[in-house]
Amino acid sequence: MGFWLAKFVFLGPLLRLIWHPWIEGRENIPDDRPAILASNHLSFCDSFFLPLLMPRKVTFLAKSEYFTTPGLKGLVSRLFFSGVGQVPIDRSDKGASQAALDTGVRVLRAGQNNLLGIYPEGTRSPDGRLYRGKTGVARLALESGAVVVPCVMVNTDVIQPAGRLLPRLRPRPGVQIGKPLDFSRYEGMAGDRFVERSITDEIMYELMQLSGRDYVDRYAAEVKKAKGLDTGFGARERETGIAQAADAAQAAEAADRLPDSRAS
């Protein structure tokens, strides 16, 4: 109920009126089976515009900071995500994260055409580039049997960069939807870390192709930590001189690369 009220009564009409968001490739979202929406993550407002433009309810596996951050920003975040039934992931507790993934599988299995949203990078990109994906998305696909639909957010990092409370009015934000990826050939192989890494790299490759953004073979969270960036919700990015020196020292051994084109 909360999702539909937010989408069609309280929040959705306002977002459409002010920002006129657009979508391409909506026909790639299957109507007859559950799907995982795997998206790049550029801005906090991604979690508003992506479900707004989907034809059905989207349940997100959201980081726990969206539910626990103090202050006005935290209150707005907590009310929104709780109101629409999103699932928090405590990234500091392996057991809690597994429980959230189990919940994601239950969401996908609960209905014939349920949609589950996830950001494989695990956090917002620090610079707009695409970073190495975490294998939770592969585990979800293998355990649920759902297809993975690559989604690319467009312009959200321009209208609401990290640290900005209210989005700018332009350019118009959008979503590009790629063709669904079926990993049924790996049925029964959940838990195999090589298979899960291969699947995740294939998903990230599709996101790279669809977005046209550069790929970096490092986890975004590690890059933020090395640079001394505050990754909390609404936080302004901070970089220390020590972090700059550490980042420069790591550059020689952390070269960018493309993920494998496809899993074999």
Side-chain angles (χ1 to χ4, degrees), residues 126-190:
D127 52 20
R129 294 184 294 177
L130 193 66
Y131 284 80
R132 195 177 198 221
K134 297 188 175 183
T135 58
V137 62
R139 179 68 65 90
L140 282 170
L142 292 174
E143 292 191 0
S144 68
V147 296
V148 178
V149 180
C151 303
V152 168
M153 305 305 301
V154 181
N155 291 330
T156 53
D157 55 334
V158 179
I159 65 173
Q160 192 181 25
R164 184 180 179 88
L165 178 59
L166 297 176
R168 300 184 179 97
L169 299 181
R170 290 294 179 269
R172 293 172 59 198
V175 182
Q176 292 177 312
I177 310 296
K179 294 187 179 301
L181 305 174
D182 188 341
F183 297 107
S184 58
R185 63 189 183 276
Y186 296 117
E187 184 178 359
M189 301 182 72

Side-chain angles (χ1 to χ4, degrees), residues 98-121:
Q98 183 59 51
L101 290 174
D102 291 343
T103 301
V105 172
R106 288 197 298 272
V107 168
L108 289 165
R109 290 177 174 173
Q112 182 180 7
N113 58 358
N114 285 356
L115 298 177
L116 182 76
I118 190 171
Y119 300 118
E121 294 167 280

